[in-house]
Amino acid sequence: TLPSTMVGKAAPDFSLPPLTGIQRDGVALLGLSKADLIGPVTLVNIFASWCAPCREEHPKLIELAKDQRIRLVGINYKDEPDNARRFLGALGNPYAAIGTDQAGRAAIEWGVYGVPETFVINRKGQIAYKHVGPITDDSLKGVLGEAITKAVNEKE
């Protein structure tokens, strides 16, 4: 477990361009910014095509994308766009929006140690929980799942 000084604070200020050429339900995905994190409970998943644990967790992300209580978005970290498109083309796109962070600057603002990492963002745009490593059945039944449920049930 790695500590995060970001938990309980507002998500960092960032604005990332979209991963072009990616669609969901026939609509081109938009990029991602701090403003997109206010409203629904959002999971921000930091991923890369070159990351073996990201490939490992991907089926869980596909499942999470079906959860109507939350919005799943991605930040593509230090990746080549063509590689990211092939990765999502082969495994499926679970994301409602994807911001590209080729230089890794936004990830620094988020306090990312490596990929994958997933942040639970409450309706006010605050970081409620940080999950380091791939999402698994155990994490969804444990602390990560509890953090999602808590954020969903939180009064505004």
Side-chain angles (χ1 to χ4, degrees), residues 34-44 67-73 96 119-126 148 151-152 154 156:
K34 180 178 180 172
D36 299 319
L37 304 180
I38 297 172
V41 172
T42 304
L43 267 60
V44 177
D67 188 334
Q68 298 296 310
R69 305 173 305 155
I70 60 171
R71 180 174 185 247
L72 176 62
V73 299
F119 295 83
V120 178
I121 311 297
N122 68 19
R123 289 181 175 87
K124 298 176 211 163
Q126 299 167 326
I148 292 168
V152 167
E154 204 172 59
E156 290 187 48

Side-chain angles (χ1 to χ4, degrees), residues 46-152:
I46 317 293
F47 77 100
S49 65
W50 47 262
C51 161
C54 295
R55 185 172 294 273
E56 195 179 298
E57 82 171 349
H58 206 80
K60 293 295 160 211
L61 295 176
I62 296 291
E63 283 179 35
L64 277 170
K66 297 172 187 170
D67 188 334
Q68 298 296 310
R69 305 173 305 155
I70 60 171
R71 180 174 185 247
L72 176 62
V73 299
I75 294 179
N76 184 231
Y77 174 73
K78 290 188 174 183
D79 208 351
E80 290 297 323
D82 285 342
N83 293 342
R85 282 188 284 272
R86 277 193 292 276
F87 176 84
L88 294 171
L91 300 177
N93 173 33
Y95 304 111
I98 301 172
T100 58
D101 186 21
Q102 279 188 278
R105 296 185 69 83
I108 291 169
E109 297 298 318
W110 281 87
V112 169
Y113 293 95
V115 288
E117 290 188 15
T118 303
F119 295 83
V120 178
I121 311 297
N122 68 19
R123 289 181 175 87
K124 298 176 211 163
Q126 299 167 326
I127 298 172
Y129 181 73
K130 176 181 179 177
H131 179 78
V132 177
I135 295 171
T136 64
D137 284 334
D138 287 345
S139 63
L140 286 172
K141 291 174 187 166
V143 181
L144 176 59
E146 291 167 8
I148 292 168
T149 299
K150 183 179 176 186
V152 167

